[in-house]
Amino acid sequence: MSTHLTAGQRALLEAALVQRQHQLDRRLEEHHQGLSRAEHAHELRDDHDEQRQREDERDVDMALSDLELRELGEVSAALRRLQAGEYGRCADCDEPIAFDRLKAEPWAQRCVACESRRERQPSR
């Protein structure tokens, strides 16, 4: 269990995670208007007259949806780690993640040093 965070810090971070989860849920619901991803893409395709504009809007719409879904997954995973007592430790080095980093990105899985190292690695 992570002991480097105070109870107050944990509560603050949990509240931030829950709030972000609700925001993303609402945005995705509004974005898709209750439709499945495939239905939403089909609706976008049928709503506009010019094909190129339709394709561009569909691409942007789907990219935003992908980003929101990925972030929602990260937030949900952070809440699971919090409930399991595994929250706030770096996935790479197992050191505590600084509270300031978690305040900025409550779903962070890595400390600043490990995340920086990971970002510098060439994509494979």
Side-chain angles (χ1 to χ4, degrees):
M1 174 149 170
S2 175
T3 58
H4 76 285
L5 297 172
T6 67
Q9 290 171 328
R10 286 178 57 84
L12 178 76
L13 293 167
E14 183 174 14
L17 285 164
V18 169
Q19 179 182 16
R20 186 62 180 153
Q21 184 178 47
H22 291 309
Q23 288 172 340
L24 289 166
D25 283 339
R26 279 192 308 273
R27 283 174 55 180
L28 284 165
E29 178 63 29
E30 290 169 3
H31 196 61
H32 291 281
Q33 301 168 343
L35 301 174
S36 73
R37 184 176 165 85
E39 290 169 333
H40 184 63
H42 187 265
E43 184 179 270
L44 284 173
R45 191 184 72 225
D46 290 342
D47 275 352
H48 303 285
D49 295 329
E50 295 183 30
Q51 183 172 346
R52 181 69 186 148
Q53 182 180 354
R54 286 192 315 246
E55 290 172 4
D56 290 346
E57 288 176 6
R58 186 177 63 234
D59 290 347
V60 168
D61 189 62
M62 299 312 275
L64 287 172
S65 182
D66 288 346
L67 288 172
E68 290 169 346
L69 283 169
R70 184 173 52 223
E71 185 177 343
L72 182 58
E74 291 171 357
V75 169
S76 296
L79 285 167
R80 285 191 301 275
R81 288 192 307 275
L82 194 117
Q83 295 304 316
E86 301 165 355
Y87 180 77
R89 299 204 71 83
C90 180
D92 291 350
C93 70
D94 200 40
E95 291 296 318
I97 300 172
F99 176 64
D100 286 341
R101 167 132 172 83
L102 292 170
K103 272 192 336 188
E105 189 176 325
W107 51 89
Q109 295 182 41
R110 292 173 184 78
C111 65
V112 172
C114 288
E115 186 63 34
S116 295
R117 193 171 21 260
R118 184 172 185 253
E119 289 173 357
R120 286 191 305 268
Q121 292 177 346
S123 297
R124 295 178 192 184

